[in-house]
Amino acid sequence: MPRAFNFSAGPATLPEPVLRQAQEEMLDWHGVGASIVELSHRGPEFMGVAAEAEADLRKLIGVPDDYAVLFTQGGATAQQALIALNFADPGQPADYVISGHWGKTAIKQVKPYVDARIAASSESDGFRTIPDRATWTLSDDAAYVHITANETIHGVEFRDTPDVGAAPLFADFSSSIASEPIDISKYGLIYAGAQKNLGPVGISVVILRRDLLERAGQPRADIFDYRSQLKGESMLNTPPTWNWYLAGLVFKWMLAEGGVEEFARRNARKSALLYSVIDGSGGFYRNEVGPAVRSRMNVPFFLHDEALDKPFLKQASEAGLISLKGHRALGGMRASIYNAMPEEGVQALADFMQGFRKRHG
Amino acid sequence: MPRAFNFSAGPATLPEPVLRQAQEEMLDWHGVGASIVELSHRGPEFMGVAAEAEADLRKLIGVPDDYAVLFTQGGATAQQALIALNFADPGQPADYVISGHWGKTAIKQVKPYVDARIAASSESDGFRTIPDRATWTLSDDAAYVHITANETIHGVEFRDTPDVGAAPLFADFSSSIASEPIDISKYGLIYAGAQKNLGPVGISVVILRRDLLERAGQPRADIFDYRSQLKGESMLNTPPTWNWYLAGLVFKWMLAEGGVEEFARRNARKSALLYSVIDGSGGFYRNEVGPAVRSRMNVPFFLHDEALDKPFLKQASEAGLISLKGHRALGGMRASIYNAMPEEGVQALADFMQGFRKRHG
């Protein structure tokens, strides 16, 4: 079948030109007689790919010079553990603001290592809001304050960077990195699995203020030490070269399309369109997230009658709109509309939703 | 250029039919309208790929039923740390037999966690041998005994499974898994980065006797807990789906080619051919590894005059033979000849080496 519009929350749709280039280069990268995935990570070919990827990412999202960039394995979840091992003393307080499922995962990882404190949580309202900054209880001696910039399951997103005082702000940006300009200097560290806005699954980026590396952290294996990883140019062991290469192609594509400013405009239009269809459906579709913190990346929604879920998914799939089933934790539907989802795809979904409502309303 | 014969030590050459299939399926996997790398890891498509990969791997290398298989991130090096966290009490002795560079890496990772003891080492002879079993000093209360089945840099390989008594034997099989039949029941745990004999970089396999999971281990994040990983079907977080898919294609290719028995025959012929060219060169080429423990996977060799290294590499590359430069730790040359290196490739290298010797001898 032709390419569908794929609303998967991650691993997510990739830009078609990137896939076509990867396809073309699969058996022979730049005339060397081998695929990039078959070459040594320490050889000149891949070292060039890696250096370009870092330079392009720095340009794309505006990484300040006093911040280091790591390309890591293990996904965002491994980083959630490693940030405690690298930047907190054993048992030191660390403050977590929980605005959805992934914030809960983040705090779970660090419990063996730090005094993990919930500074604020919107769990009691079903994660439909983000706790008001005035209600946060921050520790005086926290190693860091952790937030989840965008929650992919609950569809809530920080629209501003909170001021947390002296402790550095650490943020999981897995599902919204590069979706709009952010001021990285307001953060001590941001991390992101690549499989949503940056490209392929299997690689993550960690961007951290270099002075944080002076912290002793906790006893840990060399492979879990960000200082060693930085010294080893993210190649302390064999890195996931193909994933890194593909992420690099996505960075180039985003730059060529106009950079994060352009994606911010597209993402605002895409999400506004879907929310307007939902809000204008007279209750046929609903999304209960507070309008001020609705995610521009993940739009969860429910049909007024659960019995319609199956026909909705079936007809959507027949119309070339796939991966709309919601996360099992919430049920319902979810449209993930990261940078690589074109506006035509969102328009096609909006049209389909209106047609479905007419047929079944 | 046409496909070269690529002797990279890892990431290494992949079977051409596997690359062609991945290329064909890059934009649309099995008619679903998306690449497998764009689909949810928890969706039926990828869950099927993952289950088939495990079943095929179990069949390929003969994994007993009382052994679990994990597909993990972080490479073999992360597993080197995690085996201590999962299977040793804090500070418990763990015995390491060091027969090359990677054994040294393995013991380095666990120093924060266990009483890491060198049971035997061949470092004093430049890792040209494997310490005789009779000389090993094993601890009574060791959590495990660790060996490196094949050393990719030094080119030494265990040709038999050592008997280590009561403690379970753990082995890094990164560079020789599936290269010949082994009796997994003699091991407590084996692990391997996939980028040599199993396919693409970015994913590893851990095969462990299930009763070991009853051990408490040490405080660790959930993501670092093999029990949680097993319960989560190696999908505790988003796994590297493309890498897993590609490994699965390699397993199918190996089964179709005749399985590990067939690869054992090919690998014996391939390595014998190269060693015979080296040993028959009257000192023009040399490999100083003890003949009984020479690796069938990685053949390091030196030219009698270092000044010939550059012309050798240049002419080899012009002849379509690439990635022959030795590891910087040793210098010289290295031909890695894993399962995916065809016999024609090794014959071409042997012919080239003899021709080069005639021209420069």
Side-chain angles (χ1 to χ4, degrees):
Chain A
M1 85 188 254
R3 296 265 302 163
F5 290 119
N6 170 17
F7 295 91
S8 177
T13 196
L14 286 162
E16 193 171 315
V18 166
L19 286 176
R20 289 200 184 280
Q21 184 172 348
Q23 182 179 45
E24 219 166 88
E25 296 176 343
M26 183 62 89
L27 276 91
D28 182 17
W29 182 85
H30 294 203
V32 302
S35 168
I36 193 77
V37 71
E38 299 174 295
L39 297 174
S40 168
H41 51 295
R42 284 288 182 191
E45 300 89 356
F46 186 75
M47 289 295 280
V49 167
E52 259 186 59
E54 179 174 337
D56 286 340
L57 180 63
R58 284 183 174 275
K59 187 172 166 194
L60 180 69
I61 62 171
V63 179
D65 287 345
D66 56 334
Y67 283 66
V69 176
L70 294 172
F71 288 83
T72 64
Q73 293 181 70
T77 314
Q79 311 317 313
Q80 289 173 338
L82 296 181
I83 55 177
L85 283 173
N86 279 273
F87 302 117
D89 293 333
Q92 187 180 0
D95 290 335
Y96 281 77
V97 177
I98 314 288
S99 54
H101 176 90
W102 296 108
K104 289 180 74 172
T105 305
I107 197 169
K108 183 180 178 187
Q109 297 305 324
V110 301
K111 283 190 176 160
Y113 307 129
V114 297
D115 177 7
R117 297 179 179 174
I118 297 178
S121 172
S122 49
E123 185 158 20
S124 62
D125 82 351
F127 296 126
R128 294 190 184 91
T129 58
I130 284 178
D132 190 78
R133 172 66 188 86
T135 67
W136 298 9
T137 309
L138 298 179
S139 310
D140 287 339
D141 49 349
Y144 56 82
V145 180
H146 183 280
I147 63 170
T148 309
N150 179 66
E151 284 280 356
T152 53
I153 294 176
H154 291 91
V156 296
E157 183 179 16
F158 276 86
R159 299 301 309 134
D160 296 296
T161 307
D163 181 348
V164 296
L169 181 61
F170 286 11
D172 179 353
F173 261 95
S174 290
S175 46
S176 56
I177 190 169
S179 69
E180 66 180 343
I182 63 164
D183 181 353
I184 291 175
S185 72
K186 289 184 175 169
Y187 297 85
L189 177 150
I190 71 175
Y191 63 94
Q195 70 270 17
K196 298 164 192 291
N197 262 319
L198 296 186
V201 67
I203 193 160
S204 307
V205 298
V206 179
I207 297 163
L208 59 92
R209 220 176 55 217
R210 288 181 199 272
D211 66 333
L212 290 168
L213 294 168
E214 290 159 24
R215 295 191 182 185
Q218 317 196 8
R220 57 196 182 277
D222 192 51
I223 190 81
F224 296 148
D225 192 317
Y226 283 152
R227 289 171 302 201
S228 301
Q229 288 287 5
L230 187 62
K231 202 175 152 202
E233 301 173 280
S234 301
M235 298 188 188
L236 209 54
N237 66 339
T238 315
T241 53
W242 193 81
N243 314 63
W244 197 332
Y245 149 77
L246 207 65
L249 295 185
V250 174
F251 302 161
K252 284 193 189 302
W253 173 78
M254 290 196 279
L255 287 167
E257 291 283 309
V260 293
E261 292 79 6
E262 171 61 15
F263 283 104
R265 289 188 288 270
R266 293 185 196 175
N267 292 328
R269 288 195 296 264
K270 282 151 54 182
S271 53
L273 175 59
L274 286 189
Y275 286 119
S276 77
V277 168
I278 293 164
D279 293 343
S281 71
F284 188 87
Y285 302 111
R286 70 174 198 284
N287 168 295
E288 293 167 343
V289 173
V293 294
R294 278 175 162 178
S295 170
R296 299 159 306 119
M297 298 285 102
N298 311 95
V299 181
F301 61 93
F302 301 87
L303 279 72
H304 74 99
D305 177 359
E306 263 184 41
L308 290 173
D309 285 2
K310 271 197 180 166
F312 182 92
L313 288 168
K314 185 167 178 288
Q315 292 176 36
S317 175
E318 286 161 2
L321 308 165
I322 66 170
S323 305
L324 282 162
K325 195 175 175 184
H327 191 276
R328 62 188 186 282
L330 270 193
M333 305 294 147
R334 174 173 49 169
S336 295
I337 50 175
Y338 304 116
N339 287 0
M341 170 57 65
E343 294 193 71
E344 310 88 271
V346 177
Q347 187 63 58
L349 175 59
D351 293 346
F352 170 79
M353 286 171 71
Q354 286 174 319
F356 186 86
R357 178 186 151 210
K358 274 184 199 140
R359 293 193 298 280
H360 297 270
Chain B
M1 87 187 252
R3 297 264 303 161
F5 290 119
N6 170 17
F7 296 90
S8 176
T13 195
L14 285 161
E16 193 170 315
V18 165
L19 286 176
R20 290 201 183 280
Q21 183 171 349
Q23 181 179 46
E24 220 167 86
E25 297 177 343
M26 182 63 89
L27 275 91
D28 182 17
W29 182 84
H30 293 204
V32 302
S35 168
I36 194 76
V37 70
E38 300 175 295
L39 296 174
S40 169
H41 51 295
R42 283 289 182 190
E45 298 88 357
F46 185 75
M47 289 295 280
V49 166
E52 260 187 60
E54 178 173 338
D56 286 339
L57 180 63
R58 283 183 175 275
K59 188 174 166 192
L60 179 70
I61 62 172
V63 179
D65 286 345
D66 57 332
Y67 282 67
V69 176
L70 293 173
F71 288 83
T72 63
Q73 294 181 67
T77 315
Q79 311 317 314
Q80 289 173 338
L82 295 181
I83 56 176
L85 282 172
N86 278 272
F87 301 116
D89 293 333
Q92 187 179 359
D95 290 335
Y96 282 76
V97 178
I98 314 289
S99 53
H101 175 91
W102 296 107
K104 290 180 76 171
T105 305
I107 198 168
K108 182 179 178 189
Q109 297 305 323
V110 301
K111 285 192 175 158
Y113 306 130
V114 297
D115 177 7
R117 297 179 180 175
I118 297 178
S121 172
S122 48
E123 186 158 18
S124 62
D125 81 352
F127 296 125
R128 294 189 185 92
T129 59
I130 284 179
D132 191 76
R133 172 65 189 87
T135 68
W136 298 9
T137 310
L138 298 178
S139 312
D140 286 339
D141 49 350
Y144 55 83
V145 180
H146 184 280
I147 63 169
T148 308
N150 179 66
E151 285 280 355
T152 53
I153 295 176
H154 292 91
V156 296
E157 182 179 17
F158 275 87
R159 298 302 309 135
D160 296 296
T161 306
D163 182 349
V164 296
L169 180 62
F170 287 11
D172 179 352
F173 262 94
S174 291
S175 46
S176 57
I177 191 169
S179 69
E180 66 179 343
I182 63 163
D183 181 354
I184 291 176
S185 73
K186 291 184 175 168
Y187 297 84
L189 178 150
I190 71 174
Y191 63 93
Q195 70 271 17
K196 296 163 194 292
N197 262 318
L198 296 185
V201 66
I203 194 160
S204 307
V205 298
V206 179
I207 297 163
L208 59 92
R209 219 175 57 216
R210 288 181 199 273
D211 66 331
L212 290 167
L213 293 168
E214 290 159 24
R215 295 191 181 185
Q218 317 197 8
R220 57 197 183 277
D222 193 50
I223 191 80
F224 296 149
D225 192 317
Y226 283 152
R227 289 171 303 200
S228 300
Q229 287 287 5
L230 187 61
K231 202 176 150 201
E233 301 172 280
S234 302
M235 299 187 187
L236 210 55
N237 67 338
T238 315
T241 53
W242 194 81
N243 314 64
W244 197 333
Y245 149 79
L246 206 66
L249 295 184
V250 174
F251 302 161
K252 283 191 190 303
W253 173 79
M254 289 195 280
L255 286 167
E257 291 284 307
V260 293
E261 291 80 5
E262 171 61 15
F263 283 104
R265 289 187 287 270
R266 294 186 195 174
N267 291 329
R269 288 194 296 265
K270 281 151 54 181
S271 53
L273 174 58
L274 286 190
Y275 288 118
S276 77
V277 168
I278 293 165
D279 293 343
S281 70
F284 187 88
Y285 302 111
R286 71 176 199 283
N287 168 295
E288 293 168 343
V289 174
V293 293
R294 277 175 163 178
S295 170
R296 299 160 306 120
M297 299 284 103
N298 311 94
V299 180
F301 61 92
F302 301 87
L303 279 72
H304 74 100
D305 177 359
E306 262 183 42
L308 290 173
D309 285 3
K310 271 196 181 168
F312 183 91
L313 288 168
K314 185 167 179 289
Q315 293 176 36
S317 177
E318 286 161 2
L321 307 166
I322 66 172
S323 305
L324 282 161
K325 193 176 176 185
H327 191 278
R328 62 187 185 283
L330 271 193
M333 305 295 147
R334 174 172 50 168
S336 295
I337 50 175
Y338 304 117
N339 286 359
M341 171 57 65
E343 293 192 70
E344 309 89 271
V346 177
Q347 187 63 60
L349 174 59
D351 293 345
F352 170 80
M353 286 171 71
Q354 286 174 318
F356 185 87
R357 179 186 151 211
K358 274 184 203 144
R359 292 194 297 280
H360 297 271

